[in-house]
Amino acid sequence: QSMVLAAFALDLIPTVTGYFATYPWFQVYASQQMQVSRVTGMVPFSGIMSAWRSVAQIEGTAGLFRGCAPFCSALALQSQFPSIVARGISFPRAVAMTASLALVIQPLLVVSHRMLALKEYSSVSKAFSTIWREEGIMGFYRGLDVTLLYAVSPRCQLFYPLDVARANSCLPGNCPSAFIYAAERLWKGEWRWQFAGLKAIAWGIAPMAALAISTHTSASALLLACGLSATIQTFPAPSSAIPPKA
């Protein structure tokens, strides 16, 4: 069990590094998903480069990484959902682990989305304190239903409208349940919201994926050079798995 946890922790290092390198792009498409930006108001960015210029002019280069810590941490933890079952853990225990992980991920997502969309959430500490004061603990778990679905069935992460619904349910004033939020929008005959942010993804997916992969590979190589490994396969096999000597 300790080797599984160690491998899990080592996996996060290159993953977080890759997300950090591509975060300015994530910031643009998350703002497009929510159709709101702290810089331009209710009118989202028209493109990736215009978004970066607007943020840099108003907030400086540091603005491109606003909300980076909670957002990258949440995505890195969420990326571990598919691999937890593959680590030799029983299915009930794997479900329990991923569900527990979802309870850690969701507050990070709520905080990061508030910081991206609203000016008053200017720092991580202020975002946490404001949400706790105004909404209580339940404010941190807006959109939890989709995150739990991802935990139980990681392949659902490929269904993009779920991610859009979760992002919007993180904002105050919207329904805290992502599924109910989506149902309400569809009931009103609104369909285009499901594909908000796809333009930013389409234009940036190739270069950002290349950057993320190269950064991930570099971090993994550095771990190996230090005598560590980001995969559980390199850990010594337990004694019960070692065949007896002839």
Side-chain angles (χ1 to χ4, degrees), residues 31-199:
S31 297
Q32 292 279 11
Q33 284 182 333
M34 296 180 289
Q35 291 292 287
V36 63
S37 167
R38 66 184 186 280
V39 176
T40 59
M42 293 304 295
V43 181
F45 300 120
S46 59
I48 296 177
M49 296 306 297
S50 65
W52 290 345
R53 284 195 298 268
S54 299
V55 172
Q57 288 173 0
I58 297 175
E59 300 179 347
T61 306
L64 296 175
F65 292 91
R66 176 167 165 162
C68 178
F71 192 80
C72 293
S73 299
L75 289 187
L77 290 171
Q78 183 175 293
S79 70
Q80 299 301 308
F81 285 158
S83 62
I84 288 178
V85 177
R87 295 188 184 282
I89 307 172
S90 63
F91 181 73
R93 184 176 295 180
V95 171
M97 285 183 64
T98 54
S100 300
L101 200 57
L103 297 178
V104 177
I105 291 172
Q106 197 57 36
L108 298 174
L109 284 175
V110 172
V111 167
S112 61
H113 281 82
R114 297 282 181 95
M115 292 181 68
L116 287 176
L118 304 171
K119 289 183 178 181
E120 54 266 32
Y121 298 88
S122 56
S123 67
V124 175
S125 59
K126 186 173 183 179
F128 271 104
S129 62
T130 302
I131 295 172
W132 176 264
R133 183 177 64 255
E134 296 181 355
E135 303 174 52
I137 191 170
M138 296 307 296
F140 293 107
Y141 291 100
R142 287 174 161 268
L144 178 63
D145 43 2
V146 168
T147 305
L148 287 173
L149 177 63
Y150 288 169
V152 176
S153 180
R155 291 184 180 179
C156 291
Q157 297 181 55
L158 300 175
F159 189 58
Y160 183 74
L162 285 177
D163 201 49
V164 179
R166 181 177 65 170
N168 282 276
S169 64
C170 290
L171 299 180
N174 291 339
C175 180
S177 168
F179 289 121
I180 296 178
Y181 171 84
E184 289 177 346
R185 296 291 297 270
L186 294 175
W187 179 260
K188 295 176 182 177
E190 301 174 1
W191 297 88
R192 298 181 63 179
W193 65 269
Q194 302 177 77
F195 309 106
L198 278 179
K199 181 179 179 180

